[in-house]
């Protein structure tokens, strides 16, 4: 899908988190660490750079991690298409981040495609498979957007004023190869002229909401308000939220949703205040091999991310400052699990389903 080939409202984003220039043997990504202060693009031309970009979170978000992982394998096979090199690159990329299942899914898919081929045919096939994964992700985003849009339209018909949507972290275009997952309904609604007011959680410690989601909404002119993570319950209690929609890093077979830390708290507050709570879930995010959320590996990151904040000072310099006494112990789990019972529905590319084993199996009978 090329931007120029589409009418303006069809464009998944005026910025693309991941591009492969036609015929190129490299990819081009946004280095998301620089946002929202600068839009910096980085060329990834070798497998080690792909692994580093995932590990250090130049790129992040489950579907994007999967796509970059797939291209990382293609880059590795360009250098050495042997069985040993394939196994080594698969293992190295798989070890970069543990929670988003899209990474393992994409790596396994590319490996399954190329392993039966002769070594000389492998690299081209890997590039083509990575392209297919990226294109499919954009199509899934769009379909999720259509299904989610119906929910927003339903709310708009029931009450006057803008539809007030809360989201957490960044499940936007920056996290995918297209429209984003949780943001796709918002982008489509806005393009359709539906009035929105989006509540954006700051998402400590890495501030994906403040740095990335607020930036994406501003790029599109969608009204939004940033709030401190701890204010979510109050906003719902005051009746200021019509619907919560978040992304997902891994959904277990029973419908438990693992997503950015702080998602569970929002689901609890939503349940207590009768606010519908949805997760946007493209099918590669469903882990059919994991029975429930307790079995999902939760990434533990460096405590420095909790003990400091980074931002831009009055002189335009990016600075990182300490916010706790030197030597303070901190814990930094990157994700949590929201039990299926707290989830109103999962918005997949095939439609909206209940978060339960039976409903998921009915929606994806070929996978269950
Ligand atoms: O640590 P991150 O920034 O990779 O976490 C991202 C999230 O938790 C997103 O909500 C999730 O990956 C879905 S992105 C469509």
């Amino acid at each position: 899908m090329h931007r120029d080939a589409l009418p303006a409202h069809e464009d998944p984003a005026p910025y693309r988190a991941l591009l492969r220039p036609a015929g190129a043997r490299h990819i081009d990504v946004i280095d998301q660490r620089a946002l929202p202060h600068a839009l910096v693009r980085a060329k990834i031309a070798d497998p080690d750079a792909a692994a580093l970009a995932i590990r250090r979170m130049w790129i992040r978000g489950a579907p994007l991690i999967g796509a970059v992982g797939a291209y990382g394998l293609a880059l590795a096979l360009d250098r050495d298409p042997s069985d040993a090199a394939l196994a080594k690159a698969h293992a190295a990329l798989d070890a970069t981040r543990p929670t988003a299942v899209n990474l393992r899914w994409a790596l396994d898919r590319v490996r399954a495609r190329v392993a039966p081929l002769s070594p000389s045919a492998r690299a081209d096939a890997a590039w083509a498979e990575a392209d297919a994964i990226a294109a499919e992700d954009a199509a899934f985003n769009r379909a999720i957007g259509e299904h989610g849009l119906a929910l927003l339209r339903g709310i708009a018909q029931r009450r006057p004023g803008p539809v007030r949507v809360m989201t957490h972290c960044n499940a936007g275009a920056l996290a995918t190869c297209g429209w984003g997952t949780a943001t796709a309904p918002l982008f489509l609604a806005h393009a359709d002229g539906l009035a929105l007011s989006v509540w954006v959680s700051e998402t400590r410690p890495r501030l994906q909401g403040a740095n990335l989601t607020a930036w994406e909404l501003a790029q599109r002119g969608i009204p939004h308000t940033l709030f401190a993570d701890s204010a979510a319950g109050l906003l719902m209690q005051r009746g200021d939220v019509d619907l919560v929609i978040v992304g997902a890093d891994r959904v277990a077979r029973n419908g438990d949703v693992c997503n950015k830390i702080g998602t569970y708290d929002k689901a609890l507050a939503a349940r207590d205040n009768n606010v519908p709570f949805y997760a946007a879930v493209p099918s590669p995010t469903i882990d059919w091999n994991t029975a429930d959320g307790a079995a999902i590996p939760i990434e533990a990151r460096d405590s420095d991310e909790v003990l400091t904040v980074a931002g831009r000072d009055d002189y335009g310099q990016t600075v990182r400052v300490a916010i706790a006494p030197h030597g303070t112990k901190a814990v930094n789990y990157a994700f949590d699990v929201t039990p299926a019972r707290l989830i109103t529905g999962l918005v997949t590319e095939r439609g909206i389903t209940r978060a339960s084993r039976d409903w998921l199996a009915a929606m994806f009978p070929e996978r269950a």
Side-chain angles (χ1 to χ4, degrees):
M1 191 157 50
H2 189 273
R3 190 180 164 197
D4 294 338
L6 296 166
H9 72 280
E10 290 282 350
D11 182 8
Y15 46 88
R16 301 295 291 272
L18 167 65
L19 289 167
R20 180 188 173 205
R25 306 296 271 202
H26 68 264
I27 55 171
D28 176 71
V29 299
I30 295 177
D31 181 348
Q32 299 186 25
R33 297 170 304 169
L35 287 170
H37 308 297
L39 185 57
V40 176
R41 300 206 70 101
K43 180 175 168 180
I44 295 183
D46 67 73
D48 292 344
L52 196 72
I54 299 171
R55 189 188 294 283
R56 298 261 169 91
M57 294 180 69
W58 305 3
I59 64 98
R60 26 68 50 205
L64 187 64
I65 291 172
V68 171
Y71 283 115
L73 267 193
L75 287 163
L77 292 168
D78 264 347
R79 276 146 195 79
D80 180 351
S82 67
D83 284 354
L86 175 60
K88 193 172 161 213
H90 184 290
L93 287 158
D94 189 41
T96 51
R97 291 193 76 190
T99 301
V101 75
N102 305 59
L103 177 59
R104 171 75 62 84
W105 170 85
L107 293 172
D108 286 355
R109 177 166 155 177
V110 174
R111 183 175 61 185
R113 171 78 186 87
V114 304
L117 304 178
S118 68
S120 62
R122 284 179 176 170
D124 283 353
W127 281 103
E129 197 65 18
D131 285 345
I133 286 170
E136 195 176 282
D137 182 48
F140 287 171
N141 288 180
R142 172 75 203 217
I144 286 170
E146 298 286 352
H147 298 305
L149 176 59
L151 289 175
L152 302 182
R153 283 210 182 106
I155 293 168
Q157 277 162 10
R158 289 197 295 278
R159 59 170 295 281
V163 180
R164 301 159 308 169
V165 181
M166 178 179 284
T167 191
H168 183 52
C169 191
N170 174 265
L174 288 169
T176 68
C177 303
W179 297 71
T181 59
T183 56
L186 308 178
F187 293 167
L188 285 177
H190 183 67
D192 257 24
L194 195 86
L196 294 173
S197 170
V198 184
W199 292 110
V200 179
S201 64
E202 58 178 353
T203 320
R204 276 284 289 153
R206 289 189 63 99
L207 298 171
Q208 289 95 328
N211 290 346
L212 307 178
T213 303
W215 182 82
E216 288 203 50
L217 294 168
Q219 293 293 308
R220 291 182 168 265
I222 300 177
H224 59 282
T225 306
L226 185 66
F227 65 92
D229 288 325
S230 40
L234 179 73
L235 292 170
M236 292 190 228
Q237 212 170 40
R238 289 168 65 110
D240 291 342
V241 182
D242 295 316
L243 175 136
V244 182
I245 186 163
V246 299
D249 287 84
R250 190 186 294 228
V251 174
R253 214 164 51 219
N254 71 341
D256 288 351
V257 169
C258 181
N259 188 49
K260 180 53 56 194
I261 191 85
T263 301
Y264 174 42
D265 309 32
K266 286 167 186 67
L268 285 169
R271 172 55 54 95
D272 196 43
N273 292 284
N274 292 318
V275 175
F277 183 97
Y278 288 89
V281 181
S283 55
T285 304
I286 304 168
D287 182 354
W288 299 98
N289 297 319
T290 295
D292 59 35
I296 296 175
I298 302 289
E299 179 179 12
R301 296 184 58 83
D302 198 314
S303 58
D304 266 3
E305 291 182 352
V306 173
L307 295 167
T308 62
V309 286
R312 187 156 271 205
D313 70 12
D314 290 347
Y315 304 99
Q317 298 296 316
T318 299
V319 288
R320 179 169 285 281
V321 295
I323 57 166
H326 182 70
T328 301
K329 187 176 155 198
V331 67
N332 187 11
Y333 291 117
F335 301 97
D336 61 24
V337 174
T338 299
R341 67 188 152 76
L342 297 177
I343 297 166
T344 312
L346 305 176
V347 188
T348 77
E349 71 271 15
R350 291 195 188 167
I352 300 177
T353 176
R354 286 197 192 154
S356 82
R357 186 187 167 136
D358 290 349
W359 282 73
L360 270 176
M363 181 75 77
F364 297 98
E366 77 283 11
R367 299 288 306 277

